[in-house]
Amino acid sequence: MVELTRLGMRFPTPKGEFIALKGVDLTIKKGEFVSLIGHSGCGKSTVLNLVAGLTLPTDGGVIVDSREVDGPGPERAVVFQNHSLLPWLTVYQNVELAVKQVAKQKEQGKGKAWIKERTEHYLALIQMQHAADKKPDEISGGMKQRVGIARALALQPKVLLMDEPFGALDALTRAHLQDSLMKIQADLGNTIIMITHDVDEAVLLSDKIVMMTNGPSATIGEVLDIQLDRPRNRVELANDPQYQGYRQSVLKFLYEKQLHPQTDDEAESVSKPLKAKVTFASDIKRA
Ligand SMILES: Nc1ncnc2c1ncn2[C@@H]1O[C@H](COP(=O)(O)OP(=O)(O)OP(=O)(O)O)[C@@H](O)[C@H]1O
């Protein structure tokens, strides 16, 4: 389970403190697929970085499986838009690196055969066995993204964090990868938090769509539960009234309710700590 409680982030800037996020409360159940959607600059990446532990909050905190996040950890893997593969390693070696990391953490120690079997397993999962010996600059953007996902999955994370993973891909490759991701999640049951700008992608993939208000002091505006049966088929859903209804709700939020950004004056206001039920490291630092 992932719990965001009173989560806030204030950045120091030459013009004073900038309140990027304020009072974000969200509970994500194990195995849930949650999308974060909102206008550019509203704070989606900031939320993801806080859950990843890449940045630490100035207010509130994040709890993953009963532990407060105080830095990056192997139970939380991140997939970025620009597939950050190591260019001097082959596709196989890029995935193997993550498998070896897990092998090192396992108590009984895992041997070469286990590493080979697991690496091949993750390559098969993303259908990249044929390109195992290629270097990242010899494969397409979609393929690189697939390898990035395999590498993240190979870490066996409880939570997979994805920052616009398919944003840079063409529509067909994107559709193919979305379908693969749905299948992989059905098999492995990871909790996934994904940032997207694509309304159809959010409705098709998610159990929950978290819609964020415009910044400064961005927070969660609405949460939409997507109750479409799985497995989901994009072609069948295209004319499904329930699917269309969800789509309309997100579009309405983005283009009617949140069309106008808040004024810059709100950026000047300093957030007041809310009454704490749980004490986070950020509360202690502030005291
Ligand atoms: N280190 C920082 N210092 C100052 N301001 C920052 C910093 N990081 C982010 N911000 C500001 O916080 C706000 C939220 O940024 P963030 O990158 O989280 O938005 P986003 O919703 O992910 O945007 P996009 O959809 O364009 O990627 C923005 O106004 C951004 O300028």
Side-chain angles (χ1 to χ4, degrees), residues 10-75:
R10 292 174 274 129
F11 292 110
T13 75
K15 280 170 73 186
E17 196 168 58
F18 178 79
I19 307 173
L21 287 179
K22 191 172 173 180
V24 174
D25 284 306
L26 181 67
T27 301
I28 299 169
K29 286 188 239 139
K30 189 170 180 285
E32 251 182 343
F33 195 123
V34 173
S35 289
L36 296 181
I37 201 163
H39 288 289
S40 183
C42 72
K44 301 177 293 295
S45 299
T46 305
V47 171
L48 208 77
N49 288 340
L50 290 169
V51 179
L54 297 173
T55 21
L56 295 177
T58 50
D59 302 272
V62 178
I63 292 175
V64 175
D65 279 350
S66 313
R67 273 201 57 214
E68 183 177 358
V69 170
D70 58 3
E75 76 285 5

Coordinates of all heavy atoms in Angstrom, one line a residue, residues 10-75:
R10 N 7.7 22.6 -1.2 CA 8.0 24.1 -1.4 C 9.4 24.1 -1.9 O 10.3 23.6 -1.3 CB 7.8 24.8 -0.1 CG 6.4 24.9 0.4 CD 6.3 25.5 1.8 NE 6.5 24.5 2.8 CZ 7.3 24.7 3.8 NH1 8.1 25.7 4.0 NH2 7.4 23.7 4.8
F11 N 9.6 24.8 -3.0 CA 11.0 25.0 -3.6 C 11.5 26.4 -3.3 O 10.8 27.3 -3.5 CB 11.0 24.7 -5.1 CG 10.7 23.3 -5.5 CD1 9.5 23.0 -6.1 CD2 11.6 22.3 -5.3 CE1 9.2 21.7 -6.6 CE2 11.4 21.0 -5.8 CZ 10.2 20.7 -6.4
P12 N 12.7 26.5 -2.8 CA 13.3 27.8 -2.7 C 13.6 28.4 -4.1 O 14.1 27.6 -5.0 CB 14.6 27.6 -1.9 CG 14.9 26.2 -2.1 CD 13.7 25.4 -2.5
T13 N 13.3 29.6 -4.4 CA 13.6 30.2 -5.7 C 14.1 31.6 -5.4 O 13.9 32.2 -4.3 CB 12.4 30.4 -6.6 OG1 11.6 31.4 -6.1 CG2 11.6 29.1 -6.7
P14 N 14.8 32.3 -6.3 CA 15.4 33.6 -6.1 C 14.2 34.6 -5.7 O 14.5 35.6 -5.0 CB 16.0 34.0 -7.4 CG 16.3 32.7 -8.1 CD 15.2 31.7 -7.6
K15 N 13.0 34.3 -6.1 CA 11.9 35.2 -5.8 C 11.2 34.9 -4.5 O 10.1 35.4 -4.2 CB 10.9 35.2 -7.0 CG 11.3 36.1 -8.2 CD 10.5 35.9 -9.4 CE 9.1 36.5 -9.2 NZ 8.2 36.2 -10.4
G16 N 11.7 33.9 -3.9 CA 11.0 33.4 -2.6 C 10.6 32.0 -2.8 O 10.9 31.3 -3.8
E17 N 9.8 31.5 -1.8 CA 9.5 30.1 -1.8 C 8.4 29.9 -2.8 O 7.4 30.6 -2.9 CB 8.9 29.8 -0.4 CG 8.8 28.4 -0.1 CD 8.6 28.2 1.4 OE1 7.6 28.7 1.9 OE2 9.4 27.5 2.1
F18 N 8.5 28.8 -3.6 CA 7.5 28.4 -4.5 C 6.8 27.2 -4.0 O 7.4 26.1 -3.8 CB 8.1 28.2 -5.9 CG 7.1 27.7 -6.9 CD1 6.2 28.6 -7.5 CD2 6.9 26.4 -7.2 CE1 5.3 28.2 -8.4 CE2 5.9 26.0 -8.1 CZ 5.1 26.9 -8.7
I19 N 5.5 27.3 -3.8 CA 4.7 26.1 -3.3 C 4.2 25.3 -4.5 O 3.3 25.7 -5.1 CB 3.5 26.6 -2.4 CG1 4.0 27.5 -1.3 CG2 2.8 25.3 -1.8 CD1 2.9 28.1 -0.4
A20 N 4.9 24.3 -4.8 CA 4.5 23.4 -5.9 C 3.3 22.6 -5.6 O 2.3 22.5 -6.3 CB 5.7 22.6 -6.4
L21 N 3.4 21.9 -4.4 CA 2.3 21.0 -4.0 C 1.8 21.3 -2.6 O 2.6 21.7 -1.8 CB 2.8 19.5 -3.9 CG 3.2 18.8 -5.2 CD1 3.7 17.4 -4.8 CD2 1.9 18.6 -6.1
K22 N 0.6 21.1 -2.4 CA 0.1 21.3 -1.0 C -1.0 20.3 -0.7 O -2.0 20.1 -1.5 CB -0.5 22.7 -1.0 CG -0.8 23.3 0.3 CD -1.2 24.7 0.2 CE -1.6 25.3 1.5 NZ -2.0 26.7 1.4
G23 N -0.9 19.7 0.5 CA -2.0 18.9 1.0 C -2.5 17.8 0.2 O -3.7 17.5 0.0
V24 N -1.5 17.0 -0.4 CA -1.9 15.9 -1.3 C -2.1 14.7 -0.4 O -1.2 14.2 0.3 CB -0.8 15.6 -2.3 CG1 -1.1 14.4 -3.1 CG2 -0.7 16.8 -3.3
D25 N -3.4 14.2 -0.4 CA -3.7 13.0 0.3 C -4.2 11.9 -0.6 O -5.1 12.2 -1.4 CB -4.9 13.3 1.3 CG -4.4 14.0 2.5 OD1 -3.5 13.5 3.2 OD2 -5.0 15.1 2.8
L26 N -3.6 10.7 -0.6 CA -4.0 9.7 -1.5 C -3.6 8.3 -1.0 O -2.5 8.2 -0.5 CB -3.3 9.9 -2.9 CG -3.6 8.9 -4.0 CD1 -5.0 9.1 -4.5 CD2 -2.6 9.2 -5.2
T27 N -4.5 7.4 -1.1 CA -4.2 6.0 -0.7 C -4.3 5.1 -1.9 O -5.3 5.1 -2.6 CB -5.1 5.5 0.4 OG1 -5.0 6.4 1.5 CG2 -4.8 4.1 0.8
I28 N -3.2 4.4 -2.2 CA -3.2 3.5 -3.4 C -3.1 2.0 -2.8 O -2.1 1.7 -2.1 CB -2.0 3.8 -4.3 CG1 -2.2 5.3 -4.8 CG2 -1.9 2.8 -5.5 CD1 -1.0 5.8 -5.5
K29 N -4.0 1.2 -3.3 CA -4.0 -0.2 -2.8 C -2.9 -1.0 -3.6 O -2.6 -0.7 -4.7 CB -5.3 -0.8 -2.9 CG -6.3 -0.3 -1.9 CD -7.6 -1.1 -2.0 CE -8.8 -0.2 -2.3 NZ -9.8 -0.5 -3.2
K30 N -2.5 -2.1 -2.9 CA -1.6 -3.0 -3.6 C -2.2 -3.5 -4.9 O -3.4 -3.9 -5.0 CB -1.4 -4.2 -2.7 CG -0.3 -5.2 -3.0 CD 0.0 -6.1 -1.9 CE 1.1 -7.1 -2.2 NZ 0.7 -8.1 -3.2
G31 N -1.4 -3.5 -6.0 CA -1.8 -4.0 -7.3 C -2.7 -3.0 -8.1 O -3.1 -3.4 -9.2
E32 N -2.9 -1.8 -7.5 CA -3.7 -0.8 -8.3 C -2.9 -0.1 -9.4 O -1.7 0.1 -9.2 CB -4.3 0.2 -7.3 CG -5.7 0.1 -7.1 CD -6.3 1.2 -6.2 OE1 -5.6 1.9 -5.5 OE2 -7.5 1.3 -6.2
F33 N -3.5 0.2 -10.4 CA -2.9 1.0 -11.5 C -3.5 2.4 -11.4 O -4.7 2.6 -11.6 CB -3.2 0.4 -12.9 CG -2.3 0.9 -14.0 CD1 -1.5 0.1 -14.7 CD2 -2.2 2.3 -14.2 CE1 -0.7 0.6 -15.7 CE2 -1.4 2.8 -15.2 CZ -0.6 1.9 -16.0
V34 N -2.6 3.4 -11.0 CA -3.1 4.8 -10.8 C -2.4 5.7 -11.8 O -1.2 5.7 -12.0 CB -2.8 5.2 -9.4 CG1 -3.1 6.7 -9.2 CG2 -3.6 4.3 -8.4
S35 N -3.2 6.5 -12.5 CA -2.6 7.5 -13.4 C -2.8 8.9 -12.8 O -3.8 9.2 -12.1 CB -3.4 7.6 -14.7 OG -3.1 6.4 -15.5
L36 N -1.7 9.7 -13.0 CA -1.8 11.1 -12.5 C -1.9 11.9 -13.8 O -1.1 11.8 -14.7 CB -0.5 11.5 -11.8 CG -0.1 10.8 -10.5 CD1 1.3 11.4 -10.1 CD2 -1.1 11.0 -9.5
I37 N -2.9 12.8 -13.8 CA -3.1 13.6 -15.0 C -3.3 15.0 -14.6 O -3.9 15.3 -13.5 CB -4.3 13.0 -15.9 CG1 -4.2 13.5 -17.3 CG2 -5.6 13.3 -15.3 CD1 -5.0 12.7 -18.3
G38 N -2.9 16.0 -15.4 CA -3.1 17.4 -15.0 C -2.3 18.2 -16.0 O -1.4 17.7 -16.7
H39 N -2.6 19.5 -16.0 CA -1.9 20.4 -17.0 C -0.4 20.4 -16.7 O 0.1 20.2 -15.6 CB -2.5 21.8 -17.0 CG -3.9 21.8 -17.6 ND1 -4.1 21.7 -18.9 CD2 -5.1 21.9 -17.0 CE1 -5.3 21.7 -19.2 NE2 -6.0 21.9 -18.1
S40 N 0.4 20.8 -17.7 CA 1.8 20.9 -17.6 C 2.2 21.8 -16.5 O 1.6 22.9 -16.3 CB 2.3 21.5 -19.0 OG 3.7 21.5 -18.9
G41 N 3.2 21.4 -15.7 CA 3.7 22.2 -14.6 C 2.8 22.1 -13.3 O 3.1 22.8 -12.3
C42 N 1.8 21.2 -13.3 CA 1.0 21.2 -12.1 C 1.6 20.4 -10.9 O 1.2 20.5 -9.8 CB -0.4 20.6 -12.4 SG -0.4 18.9 -12.7
G43 N 2.7 19.6 -11.2 CA 3.3 19.0 -10.1 C 3.3 17.4 -10.1 O 3.6 16.8 -9.1
K44 N 3.0 16.9 -11.3 CA 2.9 15.4 -11.4 C 4.3 14.8 -11.1 O 4.4 13.8 -10.4 CB 2.4 15.0 -12.8 CG 1.0 15.6 -13.1 CD 0.6 15.2 -14.5 CE 1.4 15.9 -15.6 NZ 1.3 17.3 -15.7
S45 N 5.3 15.3 -11.8 CA 6.6 14.7 -11.6 C 7.1 14.9 -10.2 O 7.8 14.0 -9.6 CB 7.7 15.3 -12.6 OG 7.3 15.1 -13.9
T46 N 6.7 16.0 -9.6 CA 7.1 16.3 -8.2 C 6.5 15.2 -7.3 O 7.2 14.6 -6.5 CB 6.7 17.7 -7.7 OG1 7.2 18.6 -8.6 CG2 7.1 18.0 -6.3
V47 N 5.3 14.8 -7.5 CA 4.6 13.7 -6.7 C 5.4 12.4 -6.9 O 5.7 11.7 -6.0 CB 3.1 13.5 -7.1 CG1 2.6 12.3 -6.5 CG2 2.3 14.8 -6.8
L48 N 5.7 12.1 -8.2 CA 6.4 10.8 -8.5 C 7.7 10.8 -7.9 O 8.1 9.8 -7.3 CB 6.5 10.7 -10.0 CG 6.5 9.2 -10.5 CD1 5.1 8.7 -10.5 CD2 7.0 9.1 -11.9
N49 N 8.5 11.9 -8.0 CA 9.8 12.0 -7.4 C 9.8 11.8 -5.9 O 10.7 11.2 -5.3 CB 10.5 13.3 -7.7 CG 10.9 13.4 -9.2 OD1 11.0 12.3 -9.9 ND2 11.1 14.6 -9.7
L50 N 8.7 12.3 -5.3 CA 8.6 12.2 -3.8 C 8.3 10.7 -3.4 O 8.8 10.2 -2.5 CB 7.5 13.1 -3.3 CG 7.8 14.6 -3.3 CD1 6.5 15.4 -3.0 CD2 8.9 14.9 -2.3
V51 N 7.5 10.0 -4.2 CA 7.2 8.6 -4.0 C 8.5 7.8 -4.2 O 8.8 6.9 -3.5 CB 6.0 8.1 -4.8 CG1 5.8 6.6 -4.5 CG2 4.7 8.9 -4.5
A52 N 9.2 8.2 -5.3 CA 10.5 7.5 -5.6 C 11.5 7.7 -4.5 O 12.5 7.0 -4.4 CB 11.0 7.9 -7.0
G53 N 11.4 8.8 -3.8 CA 12.4 9.2 -2.8 C 13.6 9.9 -3.4 O 14.6 10.1 -2.8
L54 N 13.4 10.4 -4.7 CA 14.4 11.2 -5.3 C 14.5 12.6 -4.8 O 15.5 13.2 -4.8 CB 14.2 11.2 -6.8 CG 14.2 9.8 -7.5 CD1 13.8 9.9 -9.0 CD2 15.6 9.2 -7.4
T55 N 13.3 13.1 -4.3 CA 13.3 14.3 -3.5 C 12.6 14.0 -2.2 O 11.7 13.1 -2.2 CB 12.6 15.5 -4.3 OG1 11.7 14.9 -5.2 CG2 13.5 16.4 -4.9
L56 N 12.9 14.8 -1.2 CA 12.2 14.6 0.1 C 11.2 15.8 0.3 O 11.5 16.9 -0.1 CB 13.2 14.5 1.2 CG 14.1 13.3 1.1 CD1 15.1 13.3 2.3 CD2 13.3 12.0 1.2
P57 N 10.0 15.5 0.8 CA 9.0 16.5 1.0 C 9.3 17.5 2.0 O 10.0 17.2 3.0 CB 7.7 15.7 1.4 CG 8.3 14.5 2.0 CD 9.6 14.2 1.4
T58 N 8.8 18.7 1.8 CA 8.9 19.8 2.9 C 7.7 19.7 3.8 O 7.8 20.2 4.9 CB 9.0 21.2 2.2 OG1 7.9 21.3 1.3 CG2 10.3 21.4 1.5
D59 N 6.7 19.0 3.4 CA 5.5 18.9 4.3 C 4.9 17.5 4.1 O 5.0 16.9 3.0 CB 4.4 19.9 3.9 CG 4.9 21.3 4.0 OD1 4.8 21.9 5.1 OD2 5.4 21.8 3.0
G60 N 4.4 16.9 5.2 CA 3.8 15.6 5.1 C 4.8 14.5 4.7 O 6.0 14.7 4.8
G61 N 4.2 13.4 4.2 CA 5.1 12.3 3.8 C 4.5 11.2 3.0 O 3.3 11.2 2.7
V62 N 5.3 10.3 2.6 CA 4.9 9.1 1.8 C 5.2 7.9 2.6 O 6.3 7.7 3.1 CB 5.6 9.1 0.4 CG1 5.2 7.9 -0.4 CG2 5.4 10.4 -0.3
I63 N 4.2 7.0 2.7 CA 4.5 5.7 3.3 C 4.3 4.6 2.3 O 3.2 4.5 1.7 CB 3.6 5.5 4.6 CG1 4.0 6.5 5.7 CG2 3.7 4.1 5.2 CD1 3.1 6.6 6.9
V64 N 5.3 3.7 2.2 CA 5.1 2.5 1.3 C 5.2 1.3 2.2 O 6.3 1.1 2.9 CB 6.1 2.5 0.2 CG1 6.0 1.2 -0.6 CG2 5.9 3.7 -0.7
D65 N 4.2 0.5 2.2 CA 4.2 -0.7 3.1 C 4.7 -0.4 4.5 O 5.6 -1.0 5.0 CB 5.0 -1.8 2.4 CG 4.2 -2.5 1.4 OD1 3.0 -2.3 1.3 OD2 4.8 -3.3 0.6
S66 N 4.0 0.5 5.1 CA 4.3 0.9 6.5 C 5.6 1.5 6.8 O 5.9 1.7 8.0 CB 4.1 -0.4 7.5 OG 3.0 -1.1 7.1
R67 N 6.4 1.9 5.8 CA 7.7 2.6 6.1 C 7.7 3.9 5.4 O 7.3 4.0 4.2 CB 8.8 1.7 5.5 CG 9.3 0.7 6.5 CD 10.7 0.2 6.1 NE 11.7 1.4 6.0 CZ 12.7 1.4 5.1 NH1 12.9 0.5 4.3 NH2 13.5 2.5 5.1
E68 N 8.1 4.9 6.1 CA 8.2 6.3 5.5 C 9.3 6.3 4.5 O 10.4 5.8 4.7 CB 8.4 7.3 6.6 CG 8.4 8.7 6.0 CD 8.6 9.9 7.0 OE1 8.7 9.6 8.2 OE2 8.6 11.0 6.5
V69 N 9.0 6.8 3.3 CA 10.0 7.0 2.3 C 11.0 8.0 2.7 O 10.7 9.2 2.9 CB 9.4 7.3 0.9 CG1 10.4 7.7 -0.1 CG2 8.5 6.2 0.4
D70 N 12.3 7.6 2.8 CA 13.3 8.6 3.1 C 14.5 8.6 2.1 O 15.6 9.1 2.4 CB 13.9 8.4 4.5 CG 14.4 7.0 4.7 OD1 14.5 6.3 3.7 OD2 14.9 6.7 5.8
G71 N 14.2 8.0 0.9 CA 15.2 8.0 -0.1 C 14.8 6.9 -1.1 O 13.8 6.3 -0.9
P72 N 15.6 6.8 -2.2 CA 15.2 5.7 -3.2 C 15.3 4.3 -2.5 O 16.1 4.2 -1.6 CB 16.3 5.9 -4.3 CG 16.9 7.2 -4.1 CD 16.8 7.5 -2.6
G73 N 14.6 3.4 -3.0 CA 14.7 2.0 -2.5 C 14.3 1.0 -3.5 O 13.6 1.3 -4.5
P74 N 14.8 -0.2 -3.4 CA 14.6 -1.3 -4.4 C 13.1 -1.7 -4.6 O 12.8 -2.2 -5.6 CB 15.4 -2.5 -3.9 CG 15.6 -2.2 -2.5 CD 15.6 -0.8 -2.2
E75 N 12.3 -1.3 -3.6 CA 10.9 -1.7 -3.8 C 10.1 -0.7 -4.6 O 9.0 -0.9 -4.9 CB 10.2 -1.9 -2.4 CG 9.9 -0.6 -1.6 CD 11.1 0.1 -1.0 OE1 12.2 -0.3 -1.2 OE2 10.9 1.1 -0.3

